[in-house]
Amino acid sequence: MGQALRTYLQFELRGWKAIEVAWLGVATAVILGLSLRWQDDPLSLSAGLSGVWCAILAGKGKRSAFLVGAVNVFCYAWVAFRAGYYGGVILNLLCYLPMHCIGWFAWRRHMNAVSAEVVKRRLPPGQALALYGLTGLAVLLYGFLLQMLGGQLPYVDALGTVVSLTAQVLLIRRLSEQWLLWIFADLVMIFMWALHVARAGENVATLAMWIVYLLNALFMYRRWNREARH
């Protein structure tokens, strides 16, 4: 067991460039600094840190993203519940948690032994357009459900939730189109949490997490498109 763990960690630590390590350090420092400045509670800080680490590891193509992501699921779900964003709670507990488990096993068969990263792919244009259309329809239906539940900003919440869920499916399937969806979802979530911070004066680390997500998605969109194959 100990040898297997050492072998896995050695594989996960391979292939990191100096700029990628620096980005991980800067993102961590931003979350920590803002959280301390605004005196966020430990749960919000944990959600922010684990979320940022998960996003960066996923962009790097490391399977450990799914382990860190599972931790983030529980932390963020509780933070979202306290803020009244029930779409985020449902998304994390009922969708993201099992999807992190699926992703962990799905990526195992597609790791590049040389780069120690997952092999990346792209969708044909026709399939990508069909996917975007179905995603838009799902946003409308889910927004109506959240409105019935009395959630805050139901259609905005649904927009961020459904687009994020679609992007997570594309992540598991190793498709570069996910990053365009992550960029769009991150913008929506930044708007939502900025409103919450302005109103309640808390969860600044969560808002910072989504801003770092956006920057990470912009960087990874270029990287995955360059490395992906049909």
Side-chain angles (χ1 to χ4, degrees), residues 96-112:
Y96 277 172
L97 186 58
M99 291 174 75
H100 281 308
C101 296
I102 294 170
W104 169 260
F105 290 104
W107 275 26
R108 181 176 58 180
R109 302 190 300 271
H110 303 285
M111 300 303 295
N112 187 310

Side-chain angles (χ1 to χ4, degrees), residues 159-160 163 179-189 214:
L159 188 62
V163 173
W179 295 108
L180 273 180
L181 294 180
W182 285 127
I183 290 169
F184 187 72
D186 293 342
L187 288 169
V188 173
M189 299 306 288
L214 175 61

Side-chain angles (χ1 to χ4, degrees), residues 10-75:
Q10 288 172 357
F11 187 79
E12 287 293 294
L13 293 173
R14 280 169 50 192
W16 286 84
K17 298 177 182 178
I19 190 172
E20 293 168 338
V21 175
W23 170 232
L24 182 63
V26 168
T28 300
V30 167
I31 299 297
L32 279 172
L34 287 176
S35 181
L36 293 174
R37 168 66 179 80
W38 288 84
Q39 298 181 335
D40 269 341
D41 60 81
L43 186 64
S44 179
L45 174 59
S46 299
L49 288 176
S50 59
V52 165
W53 294 339
C54 175
I56 294 175
L57 288 168
K60 181 62 180 168
K62 298 293 187 178
R63 284 177 70 212
S64 54
F66 296 107
L67 295 178
V68 178
V71 174
N72 177 254
V73 161
F74 293 105
C75 295

Side-chain angles (χ1 to χ4, degrees), residues 210-221:
W210 285 105
I211 294 173
V212 173
Y213 279 177
L214 175 61
L215 296 175
N216 186 68
L218 290 168
F219 173 69
M220 294 305 173
Y221 175 69

Side-chain angles (χ1 to χ4, degrees), residues 126-173:
Q127 291 184 21
L129 287 175
L131 177 70
Y132 298 148
L134 290 173
T135 302
L137 178 61
V139 167
L140 294 176
L141 294 175
Y142 193 44
F144 178 74
L145 173 62
L146 294 180
Q147 188 176 45
M148 296 287 290
L149 292 173
Q152 298 289 326
L153 302 173
Y155 285 96
V156 177
D157 194 0
L159 188 62
T161 297
V162 172
V163 173
S164 296
L165 179 58
T166 306
Q168 183 72 16
V169 173
L170 298 184
L171 171 64
I172 292 174
R173 298 191 62 190

